[in-house]
Amino acid sequence: MLSQSTLSPAERRFLEDGVRQGFRNDGRGLLDYRPYTVETGILPSTSGSSRVRSFGTDVLCAVKVDMGSPPADKPDEGVVSVNVECSASVAPHGELEGGSSSRATGRVGGGRRDDSGEGWSAYLGALLDDLCLPPCALDKKALCVSPHVYAWHVNVDILLLNAAGGVLDAMSLAMRSALRDTTLPSVSVGSRDEWEEEDTADGVQQSKPPFDVDERPTAGTPFPAQDIPVCVTVGQVCSHYVWDMSSEEESCAEAQVTVAVDRNGRCVAVHKSGMASIDPTGLLQVLKDAGRVGVELIKKLEAAMAKLGTGQPVVRERLGFMAA
Amino acid sequence: MDAATYRPLPPDVPPAPTVSFGAAERSDGRTNEDVRDIEMQTGPISSAVGSAFFQIGKTKALSAVYGPRQSMRQARTSSSGAVNIDLKFAPFAVPSRTSMAERERYLVGMLSEAFESIILVERYAKSVIDITCIVLEDDGGVLSACFNAISLAAAHAGLEMTDIVTATSLYCMEVPSDTSQNVVYLSDLTAAEEACWLSSGQCTEMHVGIATSGSSICFLHGTGSLLNPTCAEQLLGRAEEICRAIGKEMRACLKAAYAASQNAAPAKTTATE
């Protein structure tokens, strides 16, 4: 179950009263974010990876790039697919099913009907793709190596290891840091003269030219989009807007608004979820605040990334993969 | 041999979309604010509890509501009911015969999220409401067309809802003018306009569902670079206006359907007597 909390009415009232007065159970103000822990380069076999943790929420993101053909309808673009999986430890025995259990837990994305929560994962993936990878943030043309012939297929796999509020936010942070960690290998495609024309049953068909990959990590280029927006989610609790909710707060939130913000504080996507409706003036305030909160979050993230060393895998002693 | 050479008539090639300033026209003769003609109808599917047809321009959506029906599983897992939305594109809805499965799933996710909050599911404990929606033709604005079709069908089925909620799609984009960057607001893009601007990323889109007796936002999804508070305020203002107008039409449509059924009912009884 994504939000493990089922609050008693008294706990709920305590939390709501606190929010009305601007205090939260963990001592934060309404706009305060919890600290995130970000690690990059933790999966050496991938092109880029990251792990984001924040008070129980734990997200692992891996990016793998493959050379493939560009889509037929957009021959000068690459392909990016976002795939979200909720590990079995998060969603035991089909807790993700049923629309209404999600209502109680106030989860972003609502609940889906199938037992495995696969539908919900797929929806989350599509939502992240839509919110965080809009054309204004990611120019897919930069992922094309040779029009009609070769383009990068970027697979972003996000694994939700543990959920305790702010899942979508953590996933977007993980995606941003993993894509910044990604290097596209240096590839040189053979010249046009090397193409061989093949006679097939359908007529003359050109085979693809050969390409060479420079496998040295230093020869690669960084992922073309360095400013992937991050999601900031705000919940409406008793008509107050609460940022970066814990799972208890999520279960009290009547409605949630997720805003994707880039480095310059520009809002590039907005999505409302949850039960209650919101009024337009409140929404405009949320958009204003989201810019501020998002910029701050990205600044902290970049400072942390700079400390990790840009693009270089983190070398440090660890006891095991999951060791904190 | 003639049969083998049959070709369907070439479709009318739409003129390239243009953005207009001021009073000039869009490629289909509308101004920037104009919404295409809307047609709605209740009860096209007699086997359903409630059904509706919604058409905006050439985009057509057909929705049917079945239930609430009893569900032991729902009773076990939750204290309230569930809304089960199924959305399909007709195979002929889009020009190219590509698989729409991914898009269908995404739209289902959006619409389920919205209607689980609009239909008062806590009043339907232990039961499931099945809603189907078929897109007969996609000429832009599918999300809001399906939303409106489902909303009307749910109202026609007599489901308890927070309000009559209608949706619309608004767009804005930056157009360089002589003096400065000029933001142009557009309502209700056609498929050709969507293909021209949306995929290139220069256009900001916002799909809004508004409860028409108040003015609260029940559904909101937007992407694009112009979602700053100023533009969002403009977009929301326009959305409210359009949603209210559609809501008014929906109410009139429902009233007419109700009146027709009241008139038809006595006539039926006299016939059986």
Side-chain angles (χ1 to χ4, degrees):
Chain A
M1 194 161 157
L2 276 167
S3 286
Q4 263 120 15
S5 63
T6 36
L7 290 184
S8 70
E11 285 172 305
R12 203 185 163 92
R13 206 166 53 240
F14 180 79
L15 194 150
E16 289 175 353
D17 282 345
V19 166
R20 279 202 194 91
Q21 295 165 40
F23 294 111
R24 292 159 73 171
N25 285 3
D26 48 11
R28 285 182 290 158
L30 298 187
L31 276 158
D32 292 346
Y33 257 70
R34 293 173 290 192
Y36 279 97
T37 315
V38 181
E39 291 165 87
T40 54
I42 52 170
L43 299 165
S45 65
T46 60
S47 313
S49 58
S50 72
R51 183 173 171 209
V52 169
R53 279 172 293 162
S54 166
F55 284 82
T57 300
D58 195 339
V59 174
L60 193 65
C61 178
V63 180
K64 281 206 169 195
V65 293
D66 287 324
M67 187 60 92
S69 312
D73 51 336
K74 288 166 190 160
D76 56 347
E77 289 187 5
V79 181
V80 181
S81 57
V82 181
N83 174 35
V84 171
E85 284 197 29
C86 301
S87 71
S89 56
V90 183
H93 46 266
E95 286 278 11
L96 286 174
E97 70 177 318
S100 35
S101 59
S102 72
R103 298 161 60 84
T105 55
R107 207 172 57 211
V108 172
R112 297 282 73 81
R113 269 132 292 276
D114 41 327
D115 279 359
S116 55
E118 260 171 35
W120 182 64
S121 302
Y123 177 59
L124 259 191
L127 196 60
L128 269 177
D129 186 13
D130 208 16
L131 293 177
C132 296
L133 301 173
C136 59
L138 171 67
D139 183 14
K140 286 189 181 156
K141 290 197 169 75
L143 293 172
C144 184
V145 177
S146 173
H148 294 280
V149 191
Y150 287 124
W152 290 112
H153 285 221
V154 181
N155 294 300
V156 182
D157 287 296
I158 300 173
L159 188 61
L160 183 64
L161 296 168
N162 197 6
V167 169
L168 208 53
D169 297 12
M171 283 180 177
S172 72
L173 279 176
M175 188 154 87
R176 182 187 164 97
S177 18
L179 284 175
R180 279 178 75 97
D181 183 47
T182 301
T183 42
L184 297 178
S186 158
V187 168
S188 53
V189 179
S191 67
R192 217 161 248 276
D193 331 330
E194 291 173 50
W195 292 30
E196 294 155 27
E197 285 191 359
E198 277 176 13
D199 286 311
T200 60
D202 308 327
V204 179
Q205 201 182 37
Q206 283 183 317
S207 69
K208 291 197 165 189
F211 67 87
D212 286 319
V213 183
D214 191 339
E215 285 183 12
R216 290 168 301 155
T218 44
T221 49
F223 190 73
Q226 290 287 300
D227 190 19
I228 301 290
V230 297
C231 289
V232 285
T233 299
V234 62
Q236 181 182 305
V237 180
C238 303
S239 314
H240 291 267
Y241 291 104
V242 181
W243 296 82
D244 186 30
M245 292 175 288
S246 64
S247 50
E248 288 82 19
E249 285 162 342
E250 267 181 5
S251 65
C252 291
E254 300 135 11
Q256 300 185 18
V257 179
T258 302
V259 186
V261 184
D262 71 6
R263 188 192 285 151
N264 305 318
R266 198 172 59 153
C267 303
V268 295
V270 58
H271 180 77
K272 185 221 158 239
S273 52
M275 292 303 301
S277 53
I278 48 175
D279 71 325
T281 45
L283 179 73
L284 295 176
Q285 188 56 47
V286 166
L287 282 177
K288 268 184 208 139
D289 288 343
R292 217 150 41 87
V293 170
V295 168
E296 223 166 278
L297 194 61
I298 290 177
K299 260 188 204 149
K300 279 185 191 156
L301 182 69
E302 285 187 348
M305 296 273 290
K307 220 182 275 176
L308 288 176
T310 39
Q312 298 302 316
V314 191
V315 186
R316 66 180 179 123
E317 212 174 312
R318 52 172 75 240
L319 297 166
F321 178 68
M322 293 295 283
Chain B
M1 280 301 115
D2 266 317
T5 57
Y6 167 77
R7 295 268 191 297
L9 288 170
D12 297 336
V13 179
T18 50
V19 183
S20 62
F21 300 95
E25 287 178 343
R26 266 149 89 180
S27 48
D28 51 358
R30 293 184 285 154
T31 64
N32 291 349
E33 289 82 33
D34 277 355
V35 176
R36 289 171 289 175
D37 287 340
I38 288 174
E39 209 176 294
M40 52 182 99
Q41 185 197 339
T42 52
I45 300 169
S46 57
S47 63
V49 180
S51 60
F53 172 75
F54 188 91
Q55 176 171 3
I56 180 161
K58 281 190 274 184
T59 303
K60 302 174 186 72
L62 185 65
S63 174
V65 173
Y66 297 88
R69 64 177 166 83
Q70 182 185 355
S71 160
M72 288 312 287
R73 190 169 136 183
Q74 191 61 25
R76 273 204 310 276
T77 54
S78 165
S79 60
S80 55
V83 180
N84 197 352
I85 293 183
D86 184 33
L87 185 139
K88 281 271 175 309
F89 278 79
F92 44 81
V94 283
S96 59
R97 259 188 105 86
T98 48
S99 165
M100 302 299 285
E102 206 169 301
R103 190 143 174 245
E104 281 166 359
R105 269 203 302 274
Y106 190 49
L107 288 172
V108 165
M110 292 264 169
L111 291 168
S112 308
E113 203 175 61
F115 279 94
E116 274 165 13
S117 70
I118 291 164
I119 296 169
L120 300 172
V121 282
E122 55 278 4
R123 307 252 176 109
Y124 296 100
K126 305 179 188 176
S127 40
V128 171
I129 298 161
D130 292 303
I131 299 178
T132 64
C133 187
I134 302 169
V135 180
L136 296 175
E137 197 170 346
D138 173 7
D139 188 30
V142 166
L143 179 56
S144 44
C146 291
F147 192 104
N148 289 331
I150 293 173
S151 193
L152 188 60
H156 184 240
L159 295 181
E160 295 194 63
M161 295 193 283
T162 52
D163 198 348
I164 294 215
V165 183
T166 58
T168 188
S169 304
L170 277 303
Y171 307 84
C172 65
M173 57 199 276
E174 244 167 1
V175 180
S177 67
D178 327 332
T179 48
S180 63
Q181 290 293 86
N182 201 356
V183 178
V184 173
Y185 295 91
L186 297 154
S187 309
D188 187 28
L189 297 191
T190 61
E193 289 172 322
E194 277 184 1
C196 180
W197 296 319
L198 271 188
S199 50
S200 65
Q202 51 181 313
C203 190
T204 297
E205 59 177 323
M206 195 185 234
H207 308 278
V208 194
I210 288 181
T212 46
S213 59
S215 66
S216 55
I217 300 164
C218 295
F219 170 73
L220 177 74
H221 182 79
T223 52
S225 53
L226 284 176
L227 283 170
N228 52 53
T230 338
C231 291
E233 193 172 1
Q234 283 280 333
L235 290 173
L236 287 176
R238 276 153 211 264
E240 203 179 318
E241 208 175 292
I242 297 168
C243 286
R244 269 179 201 284
I246 299 175
K248 214 168 142 192
E249 287 296 311
M250 268 196 195
R251 286 198 163 80
C253 180
L254 287 164
K255 274 182 193 153
Y258 181 71
S261 70
Q262 291 301 98
N263 289 339
K268 214 174 186 179
T269 45
T270 47
T272 49
E273 270 167 13

